[in-house]
Amino acid sequence: MLCRYVEELKLQSHGQSGRFSLYDGVKCVSLNNIVKVIVDPFALDLNSKEILSPIYSKLSAMSNDENHYDNFADLSGRIVNFISDLTLDLGISMDCDGCSGNELIKMTSPKLLPLGDTLLERIVEYLDLSSEFSKVELYVFVNLNTYLSKSELNDLYQHITYHKINTLFLESKYEDIICNEHLIIVDYDLCELYF
């Protein structure tokens, strides 16, 4: 049953139809691109398109702001001069346009460097970056208590509570309630037991 629900939730988070509904107040919203189902926490990618694209956009906008424009204009001019020097060395004459901040960023493809050493640190780093830069509004972890100790889970709960990161933890087995968990057990008859 857990497998079926996780699979359906994952499909809905990628735009397909299904039985899950997510509400913002009284308004039903699509799960497409705003729900991230994390089955394998070891595969979290800081350099996913959903995180890097908005970062590139911000970097591009910053290249034109008053704090960085002079630096960028100087760099762009030096790139044009370098290309001109190359064409002269080739014995031809060519004209070249400068590049935009967006083109320069795409050309150099900056990547995020993971800072965390432990799984918990990498999860926290991913959640912080993703919640700041991507459109994801709900993170669904599947069987995370398999990989993290109770102490680590407690630290994660404190972090997501403090940073107001919406999370849902789907677990295949019952564990003792930690911290401020709101535990709901769904049995084979689909009855919900609240703790």
Side-chain angles (χ1 to χ4, degrees), residues 1 8 16 49 52 67 71 107 115 128 138 142 188:
M1 188 181 313
E8 187 170 332
Q16 296 186 19
K49 185 177 179 181
L52 282 185
N67 295 329
N71 233 2
M107 181 176 61
L115 302 174
D128 288 347
L138 174 65
V142 179
Y188 289 108

Side-chain angles (χ1 to χ4, degrees), residues 59 61-74:
L59 290 173
M62 289 172 61
S63 71
N64 290 316
D65 71 17
E66 62 186 40
N67 295 329
H68 300 96
Y69 182 77
D70 289 341
N71 233 2
F72 175 70
D74 178 54

Side-chain angles (χ1 to χ4, degrees), residues 2-48:
L2 177 66
C3 177
R4 195 171 61 228
Y5 287 148
V6 169
E7 182 178 28
E8 187 170 332
L9 189 57
K10 197 165 179 74
L11 290 172
Q12 275 188 255
S13 72
H14 289 29
Q16 296 186 19
S17 61
R19 294 178 294 171
F20 286 96
S21 298
L22 183 63
Y23 287 86
D24 184 3
V26 293
K27 180 184 172 196
C28 186
V29 294
S30 169
L31 277 62
N32 188 24
N33 297 324
I34 65 166
V35 173
K36 176 76 173 176
V37 180
I38 302 166
V39 178
D40 182 2
F42 297 100
L44 292 175
D45 183 12
L46 292 179
N47 292 299
S48 65

Side-chain angles (χ1 to χ4, degrees), residues 72-83:
F72 175 70
D74 178 54
L75 178 60
S76 183
R78 288 188 297 159
I79 291 171
V80 168
N81 289 338
F82 176 70
I83 300 297

Side-chain angles (χ1 to χ4, degrees), residues 89-140:
D89 288 349
L90 193 58
I92 57 176
S93 179
M94 293 179 82
D95 188 23
C96 106
D97 296 331
C99 61
S100 68
N102 192 39
E103 291 167 332
L104 181 63
I105 289 161
K106 285 183 179 178
M107 181 176 61
T108 58
S109 301
K111 301 286 186 248
L112 291 162
L113 299 173
L115 302 174
D117 292 326
T118 67
L119 178 60
L120 174 61
E121 290 170 340
R122 291 189 302 271
I123 290 171
V124 166
E125 186 175 19
Y126 176 84
L127 288 174
D128 288 347
L129 287 166
S130 181
S131 64
E132 182 176 351
F133 293 107
S134 79
K135 295 178 182 176
V136 176
E137 295 180 25
L138 174 65
Y139 300 87
V140 180

